[in-house]
Amino acid sequence: MSRLIAALLAAASCASVAQAQTAPPVEAREVTTLDQALTLAGVSSPNVEAAEAGVSAAEQGRNVARLRPNPSVSVEVENVAGTGPYGGIGESETTVGFSLPLELGGKRGARVGVANARIDRARLETAVVSADLRLRVTQLYIVAVAAERRLTVAREQLRIAEEALRVAADRVMVGATSPIDEQRAQVQLVNARTEVERAERNVAVTRSNLERLIGQPITGDLDQPWFDRTGTFGPTAAINIEGTLAYAVATSDYSIADANVRLAQSQRMPDLTLSAGTRRIESSNSQAMVFGVSVPLPFFNRGTASVAQANAERGQADARRRGVRLDVDTQIADAIADRDNAAAAVRASGPALEAAIESARIARVGYGQGKFDQLILIDAERTLLQTRIAQIDALAAYHDAEARLARLTTPAPSISGDTQ
């Protein structure tokens, strides 16, 4: 008789658990999608604003590079405040002159070339900042969605633990099992409640991190159906590494170094300074014109050291560009492997979860009917929990690998190459 009562109680408990897990939501809430989060983050990000300011600064730098040297005006008074006939100003000579530096060797064009290369680099930096921001937002969104999914699982496990405690208490009450079963069920319930509290804190923290990045609070739900979707996996078409954003940045750094070589070479050509003026001679009350040309003598600094330094920096930039190509190729291969491994785990998690759910159901019914030991039930529930968490981890790993792959394969934007 006691076994019959326990079986009836177990069946009722299992029915209530199933109803709790399949009950539809009371009302549909607004959903914040990943695309919406990306849009909001792009509007509020100070890093994007800083990158745009960097483009403006580089453009102003080109305006500075275009400027020619300023002319000079000089006034000289000679033969005054001396001795003898030069004690006054009667023998003084006053010269008012005008001098104009002339840049030779293409220095101005070389400066503008460096400035143009830096503008291209600044424009690429805006694309880098946007791509990095997209990756960061996507990863935070994945973490937040996964945290909500884990909270849902924790609450389901809490309901199961509560029902398990009721079944154990009823079985103990009718003398169908030892009181130790009730104590074990109590421990499982305490652990389930603790896990719910931890999951709730994780949801609050991950949501808060995402809200700070997008610049506004998230009042609705996150896109759980998106989290369940997996797309492409397996072999992909060959990726042109030289067309990626990372390689374009390295190439732009090389272009700056190459332009600096031309600038250093142009600096080896001495500049001329032309001067012209008028001189007034007080003693004869007459005037005369003065003309001059000055050229620096490259005795101590011939500019060869600067050219050698610029060549070494260009070689360094070229080596880094080749290194970036290898690194990006390796990182893409790793991201593809991570994505495919996660996709395989997601595919396997479906049948595994179905089996774990059925196994836990059988264990609950069997324990309620006295056919199974409570340890079998606890093991089945633990397996179900681990399978659910493994599925969430696999989905999170898949989306994270997809996000990293999208960042690595971000195409380089077209640079205008404006030289005006």
mmCIF file with all atom_site columns, all heavy atoms in Angstrom, residues 257-278:
data_model
loop_
_atom_site.group_PDB
_atom_site.id
_atom_site.type_symbol
_atom_site.label_atom_id
_atom_site.label_alt_id
_atom_site.label_comp_id
_atom_site.label_asym_id
_atom_site.label_entity_id
_atom_site.label_seq_id
_atom_site.pdbx_PDB_ins_code
_atom_site.Cartn_x
_atom_site.Cartn_y
_atom_site.Cartn_z
_atom_site.occupancy
_atom_site.B_iso_or_equiv
_atom_site.pdbx_formal_charge
_atom_site.auth_seq_id
_atom_site.auth_comp_id
_atom_site.auth_asym_id
_atom_site.auth_atom_id
_atom_site.pdbx_PDB_model_num
ATOM 1   N N   . ALA A 1 257 ? 56.218 54.315  -43.170 1.00 0.00 ? 257 ALA A N   1
ATOM 2   C CA  . ALA A 1 257 ? 57.669 54.167  -43.062 1.00 0.00 ? 257 ALA A CA  1
ATOM 3   C C   . ALA A 1 257 ? 58.354 54.436  -44.390 1.00 0.00 ? 257 ALA A C   1
ATOM 4   O O   . ALA A 1 257 ? 59.424 55.058  -44.437 1.00 0.00 ? 257 ALA A O   1
ATOM 5   C CB  . ALA A 1 257 ? 58.006 52.759  -42.563 1.00 0.00 ? 257 ALA A CB  1
ATOM 6   N N   . ASP A 1 258 ? 57.745 53.982  -45.484 1.00 0.00 ? 258 ASP A N   1
ATOM 7   C CA  . ASP A 1 258 ? 58.325 54.234  -46.804 1.00 0.00 ? 258 ASP A CA  1
ATOM 8   C C   . ASP A 1 258 ? 58.307 55.718  -47.139 1.00 0.00 ? 258 ASP A C   1
ATOM 9   O O   . ASP A 1 258 ? 59.273 56.254  -47.713 1.00 0.00 ? 258 ASP A O   1
ATOM 10  C CB  . ASP A 1 258 ? 57.548 53.431  -47.846 1.00 0.00 ? 258 ASP A CB  1
ATOM 11  C CG  . ASP A 1 258 ? 58.192 53.492  -49.216 1.00 0.00 ? 258 ASP A CG  1
ATOM 12  O OD1 . ASP A 1 258 ? 59.369 53.100  -49.329 1.00 0.00 ? 258 ASP A OD1 1
ATOM 13  O OD2 . ASP A 1 258 ? 57.525 53.941  -50.171 1.00 0.00 ? 258 ASP A OD2 1
ATOM 14  N N   . ALA A 1 259 ? 57.230 56.407  -46.778 1.00 0.00 ? 259 ALA A N   1
ATOM 15  C CA  . ALA A 1 259 ? 57.174 57.850  -47.012 1.00 0.00 ? 259 ALA A CA  1
ATOM 16  C C   . ALA A 1 259 ? 58.208 58.585  -46.167 1.00 0.00 ? 259 ALA A C   1
ATOM 17  O O   . ALA A 1 259 ? 58.779 59.593  -46.607 1.00 0.00 ? 259 ALA A O   1
ATOM 18  C CB  . ALA A 1 259 ? 55.772 58.371  -46.699 1.00 0.00 ? 259 ALA A CB  1
ATOM 19  N N   . ASN A 1 260 ? 58.471 58.074  -44.967 1.00 0.00 ? 260 ASN A N   1
ATOM 20  C CA  . ASN A 1 260 ? 59.499 58.696  -44.125 1.00 0.00 ? 260 ASN A CA  1
ATOM 21  C C   . ASN A 1 260 ? 60.890 58.523  -44.716 1.00 0.00 ? 260 ASN A C   1
ATOM 22  O O   . ASN A 1 260 ? 61.767 59.374  -44.513 1.00 0.00 ? 260 ASN A O   1
ATOM 23  C CB  . ASN A 1 260 ? 59.450 58.092  -42.717 1.00 0.00 ? 260 ASN A CB  1
ATOM 24  C CG  . ASN A 1 260 ? 58.355 58.718  -41.868 1.00 0.00 ? 260 ASN A CG  1
ATOM 25  O OD1 . ASN A 1 260 ? 58.094 59.917  -41.961 1.00 0.00 ? 260 ASN A OD1 1
ATOM 26  N ND2 . ASN A 1 260 ? 57.701 57.911  -41.034 1.00 0.00 ? 260 ASN A ND2 1
ATOM 27  N N   . VAL A 1 261 ? 61.118 57.429  -45.454 1.00 0.00 ? 261 VAL A N   1
ATOM 28  C CA  . VAL A 1 261 ? 62.400 57.258  -46.138 1.00 0.00 ? 261 VAL A CA  1
ATOM 29  C C   . VAL A 1 261 ? 62.585 58.348  -47.187 1.00 0.00 ? 261 VAL A C   1
ATOM 30  O O   . VAL A 1 261 ? 63.659 58.970  -47.293 1.00 0.00 ? 261 VAL A O   1
ATOM 31  C CB  . VAL A 1 261 ? 62.490 55.859  -46.777 1.00 0.00 ? 261 VAL A CB  1
ATOM 32  C CG1 . VAL A 1 261 ? 63.716 55.759  -47.697 1.00 0.00 ? 261 VAL A CG1 1
ATOM 33  C CG2 . VAL A 1 261 ? 62.558 54.789  -45.702 1.00 0.00 ? 261 VAL A CG2 1
ATOM 34  N N   . ARG A 1 262 ? 61.547 58.594  -47.970 1.00 0.00 ? 262 ARG A N   1
ATOM 35  C CA  . ARG A 1 262 ? 61.637 59.656  -48.986 1.00 0.00 ? 262 ARG A CA  1
ATOM 36  C C   . ARG A 1 262 ? 61.823 61.020  -48.340 1.00 0.00 ? 262 ARG A C   1
ATOM 37  O O   . ARG A 1 262 ? 62.549 61.868  -48.866 1.00 0.00 ? 262 ARG A O   1
ATOM 38  C CB  . ARG A 1 262 ? 60.379 59.633  -49.858 1.00 0.00 ? 262 ARG A CB  1
ATOM 39  C CG  . ARG A 1 262 ? 60.276 58.385  -50.735 1.00 0.00 ? 262 ARG A CG  1
ATOM 40  C CD  . ARG A 1 262 ? 59.183 58.542  -51.785 1.00 0.00 ? 262 ARG A CD  1
ATOM 41  N NE  . ARG A 1 262 ? 57.866 58.603  -51.177 1.00 0.00 ? 262 ARG A NE  1
ATOM 42  C CZ  . ARG A 1 262 ? 57.122 57.538  -50.901 1.00 0.00 ? 262 ARG A CZ  1
ATOM 43  N NH1 . ARG A 1 262 ? 57.589 56.324  -51.154 1.00 0.00 ? 262 ARG A NH1 1
ATOM 44  N NH2 . ARG A 1 262 ? 55.920 57.666  -50.367 1.00 0.00 ? 262 ARG A NH2 1
ATOM 45  N N   . LEU A 1 263 ? 61.188 61.230  -47.203 1.00 0.00 ? 263 LEU A N   1
ATOM 46  C CA  . LEU A 1 263 ? 61.363 62.503  -46.507 1.00 0.00 ? 263 LEU A CA  1
ATOM 47  C C   . LEU A 1 263 ? 62.799 62.657  -46.010 1.00 0.00 ? 263 LEU A C   1
ATOM 48  O O   . LEU A 1 263 ? 63.411 63.733  -46.139 1.00 0.00 ? 263 LEU A O   1
ATOM 49  C CB  . LEU A 1 263 ? 60.392 62.590  -45.334 1.00 0.00 ? 263 LEU A CB  1
ATOM 50  C CG  . LEU A 1 263 ? 60.482 63.852  -44.469 1.00 0.00 ? 263 LEU A CG  1
ATOM 51  C CD1 . LEU A 1 263 ? 60.206 65.098  -45.302 1.00 0.00 ? 263 LEU A CD1 1
ATOM 52  C CD2 . LEU A 1 263 ? 59.523 63.768  -43.297 1.00 0.00 ? 263 LEU A CD2 1
ATOM 53  N N   . ALA A 1 264 ? 63.362 61.597  -45.444 1.00 0.00 ? 264 ALA A N   1
ATOM 54  C CA  . ALA A 1 264 ? 64.746 61.663  -44.960 1.00 0.00 ? 264 ALA A CA  1
ATOM 55  C C   . ALA A 1 264 ? 65.716 61.896  -46.114 1.00 0.00 ? 264 ALA A C   1
ATOM 56  O O   . ALA A 1 264 ? 66.703 62.638  -45.979 1.00 0.00 ? 264 ALA A O   1
ATOM 57  C CB  . ALA A 1 264 ? 65.102 60.379  -44.219 1.00 0.00 ? 264 ALA A CB  1
ATOM 58  N N   . GLN A 1 265 ? 65.446 61.274  -47.258 1.00 0.00 ? 265 GLN A N   1
ATOM 59  C CA  . GLN A 1 265 ? 66.313 61.493  -48.421 1.00 0.00 ? 265 GLN A CA  1
ATOM 60  C C   . GLN A 1 265 ? 66.233 62.927  -48.917 1.00 0.00 ? 265 GLN A C   1
ATOM 61  O O   . GLN A 1 265 ? 67.243 63.524  -49.310 1.00 0.00 ? 265 GLN A O   1
ATOM 62  C CB  . GLN A 1 265 ? 65.938 60.521  -49.537 1.00 0.00 ? 265 GLN A CB  1
ATOM 63  C CG  . GLN A 1 265 ? 66.267 59.065  -49.224 1.00 0.00 ? 265 GLN A CG  1
ATOM 64  C CD  . GLN A 1 265 ? 65.695 58.110  -50.244 1.00 0.00 ? 265 GLN A CD  1
ATOM 65  O OE1 . GLN A 1 265 ? 64.777 58.459  -51.010 1.00 0.00 ? 265 GLN A OE1 1
ATOM 66  N NE2 . GLN A 1 265 ? 66.197 56.872  -50.260 1.00 0.00 ? 265 GLN A NE2 1
ATOM 67  N N   . SER A 1 266 ? 65.045 63.503  -48.866 1.00 0.00 ? 266 SER A N   1
ATOM 68  C CA  . SER A 1 266 ? 64.898 64.898  -49.314 1.00 0.00 ? 266 SER A CA  1
ATOM 69  C C   . SER A 1 266 ? 65.608 65.861  -48.373 1.00 0.00 ? 266 SER A C   1
ATOM 70  O O   . SER A 1 266 ? 66.065 66.939  -48.810 1.00 0.00 ? 266 SER A O   1
ATOM 71  C CB  . SER A 1 266 ? 63.418 65.263  -49.414 1.00 0.00 ? 266 SER A CB  1
ATOM 72  O OG  . SER A 1 266 ? 62.824 65.327  -48.134 1.00 0.00 ? 266 SER A OG  1
ATOM 73  N N   . GLN A 1 267 ? 65.733 65.498  -47.098 1.00 0.00 ? 267 GLN A N   1
ATOM 74  C CA  . GLN A 1 267 ? 66.382 66.381  -46.148 1.00 0.00 ? 267 GLN A CA  1
ATOM 75  C C   . GLN A 1 267 ? 67.882 66.503  -46.392 1.00 0.00 ? 267 GLN A C   1
ATOM 76  O O   . GLN A 1 267 ? 68.524 67.409  -45.852 1.00 0.00 ? 267 GLN A O   1
ATOM 77  C CB  . GLN A 1 267 ? 66.140 65.878  -44.717 1.00 0.00 ? 267 GLN A CB  1
ATOM 78  C CG  . GLN A 1 267 ? 64.694 65.857  -44.281 1.00 0.00 ? 267 GLN A CG  1
ATOM 79  C CD  . GLN A 1 267 ? 64.106 67.248  -44.136 1.00 0.00 ? 267 GLN A CD  1
ATOM 80  O OE1 . GLN A 1 267 ? 64.836 68.215  -43.940 1.00 0.00 ? 267 GLN A OE1 1
ATOM 81  N NE2 . GLN A 1 267 ? 62.798 67.353  -44.246 1.00 0.00 ? 267 GLN A NE2 1
ATOM 82  N N   . ARG A 1 268 ? 68.452 65.623  -47.179 1.00 0.00 ? 268 ARG A N   1
ATOM 83  C CA  . ARG A 1 268 ? 69.890 65.688  -47.454 1.00 0.00 ? 268 ARG A CA  1
ATOM 84  C C   . ARG A 1 268 ? 70.241 66.857  -48.366 1.00 0.00 ? 268 ARG A C   1
ATOM 85  O O   . ARG A 1 268 ? 71.387 67.321  -48.370 1.00 0.00 ? 268 ARG A O   1
ATOM 86  C CB  . ARG A 1 268 ? 70.368 64.383  -48.090 1.00 0.00 ? 268 ARG A CB  1
ATOM 87  C CG  . ARG A 1 268 ? 70.221 63.153  -47.202 1.00 0.00 ? 268 ARG A CG  1
ATOM 88  C CD  . ARG A 1 268 ? 71.007 61.997  -47.766 1.00 0.00 ? 268 ARG A CD  1
ATOM 89  N NE  . ARG A 1 268 ? 72.432 62.316  -47.817 1.00 0.00 ? 268 ARG A NE  1
ATOM 90  C CZ  . ARG A 1 268 ? 73.334 61.590  -48.472 1.00 0.00 ? 268 ARG A CZ  1
ATOM 91  N NH1 . ARG A 1 268 ? 72.952 60.514  -49.142 1.00 0.00 ? 268 ARG A NH1 1
ATOM 92  N NH2 . ARG A 1 268 ? 74.605 61.940  -48.473 1.00 0.00 ? 268 ARG A NH2 1
ATOM 93  N N   . MET A 1 269 ? 69.266 67.329  -49.134 1.00 0.00 ? 269 MET A N   1
ATOM 94  C CA  . MET A 1 269 ? 69.531 68.454  -50.026 1.00 0.00 ? 269 MET A CA  1
ATOM 95  C C   . MET A 1 269 ? 69.483 69.752  -49.228 1.00 0.00 ? 269 MET A C   1
ATOM 96  O O   . MET A 1 269 ? 68.461 70.086  -48.637 1.00 0.00 ? 269 MET A O   1
ATOM 97  C CB  . MET A 1 269 ? 68.492 68.496  -51.147 1.00 0.00 ? 269 MET A CB  1
ATOM 98  C CG  . MET A 1 269 ? 68.601 69.709  -52.055 1.00 0.00 ? 269 MET A CG  1
ATOM 99  S SD  . MET A 1 269 ? 70.103 69.715  -53.045 1.00 0.00 ? 269 MET A SD  1
ATOM 100 C CE  . MET A 1 269 ? 69.777 68.350  -54.169 1.00 0.00 ? 269 MET A CE  1
ATOM 101 N N   . PRO A 1 270 ? 70.593 70.545  -49.185 1.00 0.00 ? 270 PRO A N   1
ATOM 102 C CA  . PRO A 1 270 ? 70.582 71.808  -48.432 1.00 0.00 ? 270 PRO A CA  1
ATOM 103 C C   . PRO A 1 270 ? 69.608 72.806  -49.053 1.00 0.00 ? 270 PRO A C   1
ATOM 104 O O   . PRO A 1 270 ? 69.402 72.837  -50.277 1.00 0.00 ? 270 PRO A O   1
ATOM 105 C CB  . PRO A 1 270 ? 72.028 72.297  -48.534 1.00 0.00 ? 270 PRO A CB  1
ATOM 106 C CG  . PRO A 1 270 ? 72.830 71.098  -48.925 1.00 0.00 ? 270 PRO A CG  1
ATOM 107 C CD  . PRO A 1 270 ? 71.917 70.251  -49.754 1.00 0.00 ? 270 PRO A CD  1
ATOM 108 N N   . ASP A 1 271 ? 69.012 73.610  -48.220 1.00 0.00 ? 271 ASP A N   1
ATOM 109 C CA  . ASP A 1 271 ? 68.097 74.654  -48.673 1.00 0.00 ? 271 ASP A CA  1
ATOM 110 C C   . ASP A 1 271 ? 68.847 75.966  -48.887 1.00 0.00 ? 271 ASP A C   1
ATOM 111 O O   . ASP A 1 271 ? 69.895 76.216  -48.270 1.00 0.00 ? 271 ASP A O   1
ATOM 112 C CB  . ASP A 1 271 ? 66.984 74.866  -47.646 1.00 0.00 ? 271 ASP A CB  1
ATOM 113 C CG  . ASP A 1 271 ? 66.099 73.641  -47.499 1.00 0.00 ? 271 ASP A CG  1
ATOM 114 O OD1 . ASP A 1 271 ? 66.021 72.850  -48.451 1.00 0.00 ? 271 ASP A OD1 1
ATOM 115 O OD2 . ASP A 1 271 ? 65.498 73.480  -46.417 1.00 0.00 ? 271 ASP A OD2 1
ATOM 116 N N   . LEU A 1 272 ? 68.310 76.786  -49.745 1.00 0.00 ? 272 LEU A N   1
ATOM 117 C CA  . LEU A 1 272 ? 68.855 78.127  -49.992 1.00 0.00 ? 272 LEU A CA  1
ATOM 118 C C   . LEU A 1 272 ? 68.021 79.156  -49.249 1.00 0.00 ? 272 LEU A C   1
ATOM 119 O O   . LEU A 1 272 ? 66.806 78.990  -49.079 1.00 0.00 ? 272 LEU A O   1
ATOM 120 C CB  . LEU A 1 272 ? 68.836 78.446  -51.484 1.00 0.00 ? 272 LEU A CB  1
ATOM 121 C CG  . LEU A 1 272 ? 69.716 77.593  -52.404 1.00 0.00 ? 272 LEU A CG  1
ATOM 122 C CD1 . LEU A 1 272 ? 69.543 78.060  -53.850 1.00 0.00 ? 272 LEU A CD1 1
ATOM 123 C CD2 . LEU A 1 272 ? 71.162 77.655  -51.983 1.00 0.00 ? 272 LEU A CD2 1
ATOM 124 N N   . THR A 1 273 ? 68.685 80.225  -48.842 1.00 0.00 ? 273 THR A N   1
ATOM 125 C CA  . THR A 1 273 ? 67.989 81.370  -48.269 1.00 0.00 ? 273 THR A CA  1
ATOM 126 C C   . THR A 1 273 ? 68.406 82.614  -49.045 1.00 0.00 ? 273 THR A C   1
ATOM 127 O O   . THR A 1 273 ? 69.588 82.994  -49.039 1.00 0.00 ? 273 THR A O   1
ATOM 128 C CB  . THR A 1 273 ? 68.326 81.550  -46.781 1.00 0.00 ? 273 THR A CB  1
ATOM 129 O OG1 . THR A 1 273 ? 67.954 80.368  -46.076 1.00 0.00 ? 273 THR A OG1 1
ATOM 130 C CG2 . THR A 1 273 ? 67.574 82.738  -46.197 1.00 0.00 ? 273 THR A CG2 1
ATOM 131 N N   . LEU A 1 274 ? 67.468 83.184  -49.767 1.00 0.00 ? 274 LEU A N   1
ATOM 132 C CA  . LEU A 1 274 ? 67.714 84.396  -50.538 1.00 0.00 ? 274 LEU A CA  1
ATOM 133 C C   . LEU A 1 274 ? 67.348 85.607  -49.697 1.00 0.00 ? 274 LEU A C   1
ATOM 134 O O   . LEU A 1 274 ? 66.310 85.601  -49.016 1.00 0.00 ? 274 LEU A O   1
ATOM 135 C CB  . LEU A 1 274 ? 66.891 84.392  -51.823 1.00 0.00 ? 274 LEU A CB  1
ATOM 136 C CG  . LEU A 1 274 ? 67.076 83.179  -52.752 1.00 0.00 ? 274 LEU A CG  1
ATOM 137 C CD1 . LEU A 1 274 ? 66.185 83.320  -53.977 1.00 0.00 ? 274 LEU A CD1 1
ATOM 138 C CD2 . LEU A 1 274 ? 68.533 83.017  -53.155 1.00 0.00 ? 274 LEU A CD2 1
ATOM 139 N N   . SER A 1 275 ? 68.192 86.631  -49.778 1.00 0.00 ? 275 SER A N   1
ATOM 140 C CA  . SER A 1 275 ? 67.921 87.837  -48.996 1.00 0.00 ? 275 SER A CA  1
ATOM 141 C C   . SER A 1 275 ? 68.156 89.060  -49.851 1.00 0.00 ? 275 SER A C   1
ATOM 142 O O   . SER A 1 275 ? 69.008 89.067  -50.752 1.00 0.00 ? 275 SER A O   1
ATOM 143 C CB  . SER A 1 275 ? 68.800 87.874  -47.739 1.00 0.00 ? 275 SER A CB  1
ATOM 144 O OG  . SER A 1 275 ? 70.175 87.870  -48.092 1.00 0.00 ? 275 SER A OG  1
ATOM 145 N N   . ALA A 1 276 ? 67.390 90.088  -49.570 1.00 0.00 ? 276 ALA A N   1
ATOM 146 C CA  . ALA A 1 276 ? 67.522 91.365  -50.269 1.00 0.00 ? 276 ALA A CA  1
ATOM 147 C C   . ALA A 1 276 ? 67.106 92.469  -49.305 1.00 0.00 ? 276 ALA A C   1
ATOM 148 O O   . ALA A 1 276 ? 66.244 92.261  -48.442 1.00 0.00 ? 276 ALA A O   1
ATOM 149 C CB  . ALA A 1 276 ? 66.665 91.401  -51.525 1.00 0.00 ? 276 ALA A CB  1
ATOM 150 N N   . GLY A 1 277 ? 67.762 93.618  -49.435 1.00 0.00 ? 277 GLY A N   1
ATOM 151 C CA  . GLY A 1 277 ? 67.428 94.707  -48.537 1.00 0.00 ? 277 GLY A CA  1
ATOM 152 C C   . GLY A 1 277 ? 67.998 96.029  -49.016 1.00 0.00 ? 277 GLY A C   1
ATOM 153 O O   . GLY A 1 277 ? 68.610 96.119  -50.092 1.00 0.00 ? 277 GLY A O   1
ATOM 154 N N   . THR A 1 278 ? 67.795 97.033  -48.205 1.00 0.00 ? 278 THR A N   1
ATOM 155 C CA  . THR A 1 278 ? 68.314 98.367  -48.514 1.00 0.00 ? 278 THR A CA  1
ATOM 156 C C   . THR A 1 278 ? 69.107 98.862  -47.323 1.00 0.00 ? 278 THR A C   1
ATOM 157 O O   . THR A 1 278 ? 68.728 98.629  -46.171 1.00 0.00 ? 278 THR A O   1
ATOM 158 C CB  . THR A 1 278 ? 67.170 99.338  -48.847 1.00 0.00 ? 278 THR A CB  1
ATOM 159 O OG1 . THR A 1 278 ? 67.722 100.640 -49.112 1.00 0.00 ? 278 THR A OG1 1
ATOM 160 C CG2 . THR A 1 278 ? 66.181 99.456  -47.703 1.00 0.00 ? 278 THR A CG2 1
#
